[in-house]
Amino acid sequence: MYSEKVMDHFMNPRNVGEIADADGVGTEGNPVCGDIMRIYIKVDEADRITDVKFKTFGCGAAIATSDMVCEMVIGKTIDEALQITNAAVAEALEGLPPNKMHCSNLAADALHKAIADYKERKAKQA
Amino acid sequence: MNRIYFDHAATTPVRPEVLTEMLPYFTENFGNPSSIYAWGRENRSAIDRARDSIAAQLGCTAREIIFTGCGSEADNLAIKGFALANQKKGNHIITSAVEHHAVLDTVKYMTKLGFEITILPVDQYGMVSPDELAKAIRPETILVSIMYANNEVGTINPIPELAKVCREAGVCFHTDAVQAAGALDLNVDKLGVDMMSLSAHKFYGPKGVGLLYVRKGVKLDSLIHGGGQERGRRAGTENVAGIVGMAKALELANAERLEMNARLTALRDRLIIGLRDRIPEIRLNGHPTERLPNNVNISIRYIEGESLLLNLDLKGIAASSGSACTSGSLEASHVLLAMGIPHEIAHGSLRLTLGRKTTEAEIDYLLEVLPPIVEKLRAMSPLYSPS
């Protein structure tokens, strides 16, 4: 039911982990639905994302989209990163089964929350 | 890669002996049992023999058996058929929170037809209490439907006690015994049930055939109108091969039942102990002792069921889970939630159901491959912090 690309990112995710001194952390999902995604970002002075990691509790699609969004966002500025949508993540994975499009395709939302957290922290420092 | 099947609660393979009995009814004995010539008569007597055999297994008369297209149809017939035929006596139906959807959704549907329903809670093991049932019965209660053994967690309900409560209150009692068949005693008098559903493919018979036992005197409306088959209670040309196969499968299952239960219980307990020894922070779902001999259901904390099943599948192992992604809904298993298990733990449930061909080597293979999968998924989980 999953594409080869989804299975690859699910079985061999490249970006699992935490960033101890992350500049922003975002969590999306809830236990009722069975998906919780947490994205950690490291951002340089030019607002460019230099490192990104994820931790996800969830199904194959949840883990694969988490890994894919990390891959898509690395090296991008936060403005560029905010352009990434859940749909774009699904597309980069060559599609998700229809029943997964809503419940398990939240990785971009988690990323956007991490960016919001980064902006908030930065605003506080200023 | 060898494939290992740990999902016998979902379905079982047809036994060769069963298939042999069935085959002639697809080819040379193809007649319609309602026809009066030889082809028809041969098929009619094949059905009669099957019905007699099953009646002997259940301790009832042949006339009390209605063949259906599946277990779900038997449940629907029991609930809708009984409620519609008896609505002048009352409009209240009782069931439990952990029923198969074939019962639960049918009972809920009856509210659209003006019936009132009560859904009984269960204890932490998924068991229904006879006292709770007694308290829920009202003067207008006409029907109670409570499953014999739970398909997800394997918990066995005290059917004789529950049936007794109903008998004393003058209420009809139906049990969905689909998951119990093959493992538990199906004698309808010992159980005290008025109606009982079975499905052949759960005990090494074919898919596409089930039955409803209906005690003599219990009135039932037909759901499928047409020809006069099944004494007018279920129209439609009989699935002769399926019926013959169901009878053979039940004969074989009952003959081997006690021996098989002893073997499966030993394997089951080896599996449960092995899992506990190898994986921290798991819990057994369902009753520790009052459970089907082939059922293991565990919750593995911090991980989600579908990702677990996908990993097992890549190792050749077929199993199931109560996670939202695998339950066919957006919610985790209604059974586990009704037992008071929190959502995130219900999503991490794994059901392993053994069968007559399951070996110790297969159990040991699972015990070898599962712990690293759990470790890998836990390492990815934001809920997990290794102690």
Side-chain angles (χ1 to χ4, degrees):
Chain A
M1 67 178 204
Y2 287 132
S3 69
E4 266 179 48
K5 200 151 186 189
V6 172
M7 283 305 288
D8 179 38
H9 280 272
F10 165 60
M11 287 304 291
N12 310 296
R14 292 77 161 154
N15 304 292
V16 178
E18 293 174 26
I19 300 175
D21 58 342
D23 298 312
V25 182
T27 304
E28 185 58 87
N30 68 68
V32 175
C33 301
D35 285 311
I36 302 171
M37 306 177 181
R38 186 168 298 155
I39 304 254
Y40 301 81
I41 53 171
K42 195 85 191 139
V43 185
D44 70 11
E45 283 160 9
D47 275 353
R48 197 169 286 279
I49 296 171
T50 57
D51 197 9
V52 52
K53 296 272 183 237
F54 80 91
K55 282 228 164 163
T56 290
F57 164 86
C59 64
I63 290 171
T65 52
S66 304
D67 196 50
M68 179 49 84
V69 85
C70 292
E71 206 153 289
M72 289 167 80
V73 83
I74 188 113
K76 289 208 161 63
T77 65
I78 58 167
D79 286 337
E80 288 164 344
L82 285 170
Q83 305 298 312
I84 296 171
T85 61
N86 290 332
V89 175
E91 200 176 315
L93 285 166
E94 290 163 8
L96 288 175
N99 61 333
K100 299 285 183 180
M101 284 305 283
H102 293 294
C103 60
S104 311
N105 189 20
L106 304 166
D109 295 344
L111 170 71
H112 296 168
K113 282 193 173 175
I115 292 171
D117 179 46
Y118 161 72
K119 284 183 172 172
E120 206 173 300
R121 291 190 202 190
K122 205 176 162 188
K124 271 186 198 159
Q125 279 171 4
Chain B
M1 182 171 54
N2 274 339
R3 295 208 297 182
I4 300 179
Y5 188 73
F6 280 135
D7 205 16
H8 290 84
T11 192
T12 57
V14 174
R15 288 177 70 155
E17 309 93 303
V18 170
L19 182 62
T20 304
E21 294 271 323
M22 293 172 66
L23 283 175
Y25 297 97
F26 290 109
T27 52
E28 64 262 36
N29 297 350
F30 64 89
N32 188 321
S34 298
S35 303
I36 58 161
Y37 41 74
W39 274 292
R41 291 197 306 271
E42 282 161 12
N43 274 268
R44 174 60 56 210
S45 49
I47 294 174
D48 289 345
R49 281 196 305 275
R51 203 187 302 272
D52 286 342
S53 157
I54 291 172
Q57 302 294 325
L58 305 185
C60 67
T61 64
R63 295 159 71 105
E64 293 173 308
I65 291 167
I66 304 173
F67 289 113
T68 65
C70 56
S72 292
E73 187 195 329
D75 288 338
N76 272 262
L77 177 58
I79 295 161
K80 293 178 189 163
F82 183 87
L84 294 175
N86 294 275
Q87 53 190 329
K88 285 193 181 130
K89 292 183 195 159
N91 72 337
H92 183 228
I93 302 169
I94 300 172
T95 189
S96 87
V98 298
E99 296 298 313
H100 189 279
H101 284 294
V103 166
L104 202 51
D105 291 358
T106 305
V107 169
K108 287 178 182 170
Y109 170 77
M110 298 313 288
T111 60
K112 283 194 181 176
L113 303 182
F115 289 86
E116 289 179 22
I117 64 172
T118 298
I119 298 174
L120 293 174
V122 294
D123 68 12
Q124 58 176 317
Y125 302 122
M127 205 180 269
V128 178
S129 140
D131 289 342
E132 293 270 354
L133 173 59
K135 276 187 255 168
I137 291 178
R138 318 197 294 228
E140 58 276 20
T141 306
I142 53 171
L143 175 66
V144 173
S145 178
I146 292 171
M147 69 201 322
Y148 194 169
N150 186 269
N151 49 308
E152 291 188 31
V153 297
T155 296
I156 301 165
N157 271 315
I159 295 300
E161 285 86 341
L162 295 164
K164 186 163 173 266
V165 169
C166 292
R167 196 164 51 248
E168 284 167 1
V171 173
C172 181
F173 183 77
H174 165 251
T175 191
D176 175 339
V178 165
Q179 208 62 229
L184 304 180
D185 191 346
L186 296 178
N187 184 288
V188 292
D189 285 336
K190 279 195 221 163
L191 291 170
V193 298
D194 299 310
M195 295 192 280
M196 181 169 76
S197 304
L198 297 181
S199 176
H201 76 100
K202 302 292 190 183
F203 48 87
Y204 304 89
K207 294 170 186 65
V209 58
L211 69 80
L212 182 66
Y213 156 77
V214 184
R215 188 175 289 280
K216 187 172 182 247
V218 172
K219 295 228 176 335
L220 215 57
D221 276 6
S222 175
L223 301 187
I224 300 179
H225 298 92
Q229 291 92 347
E230 301 300 296
R231 300 164 52 79
R233 292 179 296 183
R234 201 279 190 179
T237 299
E238 296 90 338
N239 173 4
V240 184
I243 289 168
V244 166
M246 184 177 198
K248 182 69 180 176
L250 193 61
E251 275 170 38
L252 292 169
N254 275 347
E256 297 169 6
R257 186 168 70 86
L258 298 178
E259 195 187 328
M260 189 57 63
N261 284 354
R263 200 179 82 81
L264 288 173
T265 303
L267 286 173
R268 177 195 75 188
D269 293 345
R270 180 190 181 91
L271 178 52
I272 293 171
I273 292 165
L275 290 166
R276 281 189 173 138
D277 284 350
R278 285 167 183 78
I279 306 174
E281 296 197 73
I282 63 170
R283 56 164 285 168
L284 181 70
N285 297 318
H287 201 282
T289 55
E290 293 300 307
R291 74 185 297 132
L292 290 174
N294 75 331
N295 177 293
V296 175
N297 187 312
I298 53 165
S299 278
I300 305 177
R301 286 198 74 157
Y302 315 119
I303 66 177
E304 189 275 340
E306 190 209 78
S307 50
L308 190 59
L309 295 189
L310 289 170
N311 274 280
L312 285 172
D313 183 38
L314 290 168
K315 295 282 183 191
I317 295 172
S320 78
S321 166
S323 79
C325 291
T326 57
S327 70
S329 70
L330 292 173
E331 276 259 302
S333 150
H334 68 289
V335 174
L336 298 176
L337 296 177
M339 289 159 57
I341 294 170
H343 280 96
E344 66 271 28
I345 298 178
H347 283 296
S349 75
L350 175 66
R351 182 186 72 179
L352 301 158
T353 43
L354 320 181
R356 48 191 300 277
K357 296 276 175 123
T358 301
T359 62
E360 258 183 32
E362 290 179 337
I363 302 273
D364 293 345
Y365 176 69
L366 177 91
L367 290 172
E368 183 191 312
V369 304
L370 185 58
I373 292 173
V374 170
E375 225 165 279
K376 177 184 157 186
L377 291 172
R378 280 183 172 170
M380 286 188 210
S381 173
L383 304 176
Y384 181 61
S385 47
S387 44

